[in-house]
Amino acid sequence: MEISNLPISPSIRSKLLSKGYTSLSSLSSISPSFLAQELSVKLEEAVEVLRAVSDTTTSKSAHIPNGIIPGAVTAWDMLSEEQMQRHISTGCEDLDAILGGGIHCKEVTEVGGVPGIGKTQLGIQLAVNVQIPVEYGGLGGKAVYIDTEGSFMAERAYQIAEGCIYDILDKFPSNSREFLSCKERLQVNNFLAGIFYFRICSYTEQIAVINYLENFLTEHGDVKLVIIDSVTFHFRQDFDDLAQRTRVLGGLSLRLMKLSKMFNLAVVLLNQVTTKFTDGSFQLTLALGDSWSHSCTNRIILHWNGNERCAYIEKSPSVASASAPYLVTGKGIRGINSNFKRARIM
Amino acid sequence: MHAYYLARKDWKRSILLIKCQVVQKVASESDNESAGTKRKKAKAEESWGDWQVEDDLMMDTEKEDFKSRLAPDVTPNRQLPWLTGIELLSDTNQNKHFLPTGLEGIDALLGGGLRQGQVTEIVGPSSSGKTQVCLSSATHVVDRNFGMVLYLDTSNSFSPFRISCFVNQLHPSLPKELKETSLQTIMSNIYCQSVFDIFALLDLLHHVETTLKHTVKLGGSKLCLLIVDSVSSVIAPVIGGKNSQGWCMMASVGVLLKRIAYEHNIAVLVTNHMVGGENGTLKPALGESWKGIPHIRLLLSHGFRSYCQFCDWQLK
């Protein structure tokens, strides 16, 4: 809405700016003769300036006859898009059910829990599950794994990929011809080749890689999942100025939101826990403070329920809060019932 | 002085101050003593009597000369109407309707709902239901045919599925085909746009303002509710630190929202989050300067949730 964006000659533009006309609204109710006198230019040039102003303002609103701003989508169109969208399965049917199908694309999901609860296991499982071909009910996309702690192990990823393929072949009998072509793609090496791995050693590298991700994702258009494990690690020890940390993290989360929306992928952030002193007692909460808790779309908390691992959906705009138990098995993340089913068949 | 008055709530007053400054400049150039003394009187009293200064100008013998040299903002056809209390009250009763949020408790607290022409703010800790209030308001406002809704979303929390759940709850007794058509009509009137930084937000708000000025002449279904969820996620990364430009941008956003609300009779709903304050209590984000911008501020809270229970198990 600035004069500087108008398609007029530089000399007239500088005259306008020197007389104090900086925005288009200040030019909206002036007659051409007044403007010509004001700028000491010819009447035709003043008419041209005002025509450029009205063209700019009406062209922006004429693009979309019903909408208010360009780029706005109605909720009805978004609903049809959303219903066709596939979700990333976590491996555990109960957890998928309470999530409404799995991890949603175009959203940032934060997963937090105490050490040893299975956050990295869930991360690796998701990186494998996103690559399940479309014919078998998956997304058929690749994954970007940003590792800040060094807890990603290729051998474990191999194991989980093997377990995933075994379960797919178990579930879908490979008699029909259409599955035969996909079966060739179901190789463990292909699954491992579909995970792009970044190892990060400081918070500046973390900020840099997230800035670089936009270029990377433009080149590799089939990436459907970005996992950061964990987003907390480098921000806990090196930062002295907590206010600056909050600002940096806020900017980071906005960039991740933008990436997930622009490239239609899911972003999963793994977080650690800390103790907080509220209302006279110490409680466990997710790290990085109160401001960070607003920067994600969904939040899942992993916790111990007696001897069982449990996942609790704490924040989501579309599904209700619920809890589901899960297991960490040799094959990866599985639900409680699947193990028992296997025992009964045998 | 200029910036201070711009940050005050009353936009009208700031325009009057600009007019006073312009008058001073022009008067000093023309070297006219009568206008000069009147100008000094107006400045010394610091009265908001734009009427006083304009009145003097109109009666001035050199008024043509003055008018031609004043900036366009001060010419009479751009002057904002000067209303009495009675006229303001009747305008409020007739034109400034309450938009329903769909939640009875909140509507009761607000005296009917979201007021047109005002900025309402919802503050609350994480997952206290701020986005749900916004989605519910959008649904109910469109259902009662007040107009269109524009939803500016900064955290990808706009959920069309959740809107469809609200719509299905609205009229449970309708037959299936009518429900389908009503769902489509309602959802086609809710527009959503994602905003990820403050410059994009300012750009969008300027664009909305310009489009609204033109739509008034064209007619058609008009914007009646503008929701920004959440305004604090785009403002918080720029405020604080050494430079003060972030605070200026925050003030610009606030003034823009209020101007859009007032001039086009729109209800504006914004959400804000909470940050840690003293002694571990939470306080609304964005500080004291933002506090004065919304007309109404609602604080949402939730009691102990079950995850606190799981935290207790951890500590045992």
Side-chain angles (χ1 to χ4, degrees), chain A residues 201-243:
Chain A
C201 301
S202 72
Y203 68 86
T204 37
E205 282 185 39
Q206 191 169 337
I207 301 171
V209 86
I210 291 175
N211 288 343
Y212 169 66
L213 264 182
E214 194 172 334
N215 289 340
F216 184 83
L217 292 171
T218 323
E219 280 173 31
H220 302 265
D222 46 0
V223 172
K224 289 281 176 219
L225 174 67
V226 173
I227 306 177
I228 306 187
D229 174 17
S230 62
V231 73
T232 339
F233 186 68
H234 292 295
F235 284 94
R236 280 183 106 162
Q237 39 235 48
D238 286 338
F239 257 94
D240 309 315
D241 186 0
L242 284 181

Side-chain angles (χ1 to χ4, degrees), chain A residues 113-125:
Chain A
V114 290
I117 196 89
K119 301 190 294 293
T120 307
Q121 302 302 311
L122 183 62
I124 303 177
Q125 181 72 59

Side-chain angles (χ1 to χ4, degrees), chain A residues 1 21 25-26 28-30 34 38 57-58 60-61 66-76 78-79 82 106-107 114 247 250-251 254 257-258 260-261 275-279 282-285 290-291 293-294 296-297 299 301-305 312 314-318 321, chain B residues 68 70 72 78 124-127 130 132 148 150 152 154-162 164 180 183-184 187-188 190-194 196 204 206-208 210-211 213-214 223 233-234 236-237 239-241 273-276 280 282 304-308 310-311 313-315:
Chain A
M1 295 295 110
Y21 297 96
S25 53
S26 57
S28 57
S29 55
I30 299 186
F34 180 81
E38 185 73 2
T57 44
T58 47
K60 278 192 180 155
S61 56
N66 295 323
I68 294 282
I69 46 177
V73 192
T74 63
W76 179 250
M78 285 176 79
L79 182 69
E82 206 188 40
K106 286 197 188 174
E107 289 183 10
V114 290
R247 284 199 298 279
L254 281 176
M257 287 280 177
K258 189 175 175 186
S260 76
K261 187 95 189 195
T275 44
K276 193 166 88 158
F277 185 74
T278 49
D279 301 328
F282 285 101
Q283 281 171 12
L284 277 180
T285 51
D290 294 309
S291 314
S293 54
H294 297 271
C296 55
T297 314
R299 193 174 318 119
I301 298 193
L302 309 178
H303 62 104
W304 286 105
N305 188 1
Y312 174 69
E314 202 222 338
K315 175 182 174 185
S316 167
S318 46
S321 291
Chain B
S68 65
L70 287 174
R78 282 288 301 248
S126 172
S127 68
K130 306 188 285 292
Q132 299 302 309
M148 286 197 304
L150 179 61
L152 299 180
T154 65
S155 53
N156 291 342
S157 331
F158 182 75
S159 164
F161 171 72
R162 192 71 183 120
S164 64
E180 264 290 313
L183 181 71
Q184 184 170 1
M187 292 185 74
S188 306
I190 303 178
Y191 287 85
C192 176
Q193 171 71 305
S194 295
F196 298 114
L204 269 176
H206 278 295
H207 197 90
V208 167
T210 324
T211 319
K213 278 190 197 155
H214 291 262
L223 183 68
S233 357
V234 287
I239 57 178
H273 66 265
M274 299 190 96
V275 289
L282 292 173
F304 270 161
R305 300 173 59 86
S306 53
Y307 86 91
C308 292
F310 90 77
C311 290
W313 295 332
Q314 299 279 359
L315 296 170

Side-chain angles (χ1 to χ4, degrees), chain A residues 119-121 124 145-157 197 199 228-230 233 270 272:
Chain A
K119 301 190 294 293
T120 307
Q121 302 302 311
I124 303 177
Y145 197 101
I146 300 176
D147 189 8
T148 58
E149 295 174 340
S151 41
F152 181 87
M153 293 183 65
E155 297 88 352
R156 181 62 178 143
Y197 178 79
R199 176 74 171 97
I228 306 187
D229 174 17
S230 62
F233 186 68
L270 303 178
Q272 298 165 351

Side-chain angles (χ1 to χ4, degrees), chain B residues 51-68:
Chain B
W51 200 243
Q52 215 178 43
V53 176
E54 282 266 319
D55 220 6
D56 297 339
L57 286 177
M58 289 309 134
M59 293 191 300
D60 201 74
T61 48
E62 292 182 315
K63 65 175 188 233
E64 285 310 312
D65 205 30
F66 265 24
K67 263 178 22 183
S68 65

Side-chain angles (χ1 to χ4, degrees), chain A residues 1 19 34 37-38 49 88 122 126 143 192 225 270 339:
Chain A
M1 295 295 110
K19 287 287 174 181
F34 180 81
Q37 193 184 5
E38 185 73 2
V49 168
I88 306 177
L122 183 62
L126 288 171
L192 288 184
L225 174 67
L270 303 178
N339 241 10

Side-chain angles (χ1 to χ4, degrees), chain A residues 24-336:
Chain A
L24 293 178
S25 53
S26 57
L27 280 177
S28 57
S29 55
I30 299 186
S31 66
S33 52
F34 180 81
L35 187 64
Q37 193 184 5
E38 185 73 2
L39 300 177
S40 354
V41 295
K42 288 187 230 164
L43 186 64
E44 297 84 35
E45 292 179 7
V47 166
E48 240 182 69
V49 168
L50 288 175
R51 194 180 301 138
V53 168
S54 65
D55 277 345
T56 322
T57 44
T58 47
S59 68
K60 278 192 180 155
S61 56
H63 273 315
I64 10 84
N66 295 323
I68 294 282
I69 46 177
V73 192
T74 63
W76 179 250
D77 297 329
M78 285 176 79
L79 182 69
S80 358
E81 261 180 52
E82 206 188 40
Q83 281 166 348
M84 292 192 304
Q85 185 79 265
R86 285 168 184 264
H87 302 141
I88 306 177
S89 161
T90 55
C92 166
E93 294 93 17
D94 295 329
L95 187 51
D96 286 342
I98 61 168
L99 279 171
I103 304 279
H104 297 265
C105 282
K106 286 197 188 174
E107 289 183 10
V108 173
T109 309
E110 188 184 348
V111 179
V114 290
I117 196 89
K119 301 190 294 293
T120 307
Q121 302 302 311
L122 183 62
I124 303 177
Q125 181 72 59
L126 288 171
V128 165
N129 280 358
V130 75
Q131 302 184 54
I132 297 176
V134 178
E135 295 84 358
Y136 294 110
L139 264 82
K142 303 210 172 138
V144 167
Y145 197 101
I146 300 176
D147 189 8
T148 58
E149 295 174 340
S151 41
F152 181 87
M153 293 183 65
E155 297 88 352
R156 181 62 178 143
Y158 193 92
Q159 227 181 9
I160 290 183
E162 260 185 344
C164 176
I165 294 174
Y166 185 85
D167 279 350
I168 294 176
L169 293 175
D170 208 34
K171 199 168 152 193
F172 292 91
S174 51
N175 299 332
S176 51
R177 194 171 293 178
E178 56 212 22
F179 286 131
L180 276 174
S181 54
C182 311
K183 203 177 153 190
E184 284 147 22
R185 280 188 267 137
L186 279 184
Q187 301 293 327
V188 184
N189 291 331
N190 289 346
F191 274 59
L192 288 184
I195 303 180
F196 297 105
Y197 178 79
F198 291 87
R199 176 74 171 97
I200 302 295
C201 301
S202 72
Y203 68 86
T204 37
E205 282 185 39
Q206 191 169 337
I207 301 171
V209 86
I210 291 175
N211 288 343
Y212 169 66
L213 264 182
E214 194 172 334
N215 289 340
F216 184 83
L217 292 171
T218 323
E219 280 173 31
H220 302 265
D222 46 0
V223 172
K224 289 281 176 219
L225 174 67
V226 173
I227 306 177
I228 306 187
D229 174 17
S230 62
V231 73
T232 339
F233 186 68
H234 292 295
F235 284 94
R236 280 183 106 162
Q237 39 235 48
D238 286 338
F239 257 94
D240 309 315
D241 186 0
L242 284 181
Q244 193 188 29
R245 187 182 85 169
T246 315
R247 284 199 298 279
V248 168
L249 285 171
L252 216 91
S253 73
L254 281 176
R255 243 167 278 147
L256 288 170
M257 287 280 177
K258 189 175 175 186
L259 285 175
S260 76
K261 187 95 189 195
M262 217 158 59
F263 296 101
N264 194 14
L265 45 86
V267 178
V268 175
L269 308 175
L270 303 178
N271 201 356
Q272 298 165 351
V273 290
T274 180
T275 44
K276 193 166 88 158
F277 185 74
T278 49
D279 301 328
S281 66
F282 285 101
Q283 281 171 12
L284 277 180
T285 51
L286 294 188
L288 295 179
D290 294 309
S291 314
W292 177 252
S293 54
H294 297 271
S295 335
C296 55
T297 314
N298 305 307
R299 193 174 318 119
I300 303 174
I301 298 193
L302 309 178
H303 62 104
W304 286 105
N305 188 1
N307 273 336
E308 220 175 42
R309 289 182 164 88
C310 233
Y312 174 69
I313 298 185
E314 202 222 338
K315 175 182 174 185
S316 167
S318 46
V319 295
S321 291
S323 188
Y326 68 95
L327 291 176
V328 179
T329 66
K331 289 199 204 158
I333 304 273
R334 293 290 183 269
I336 298 278

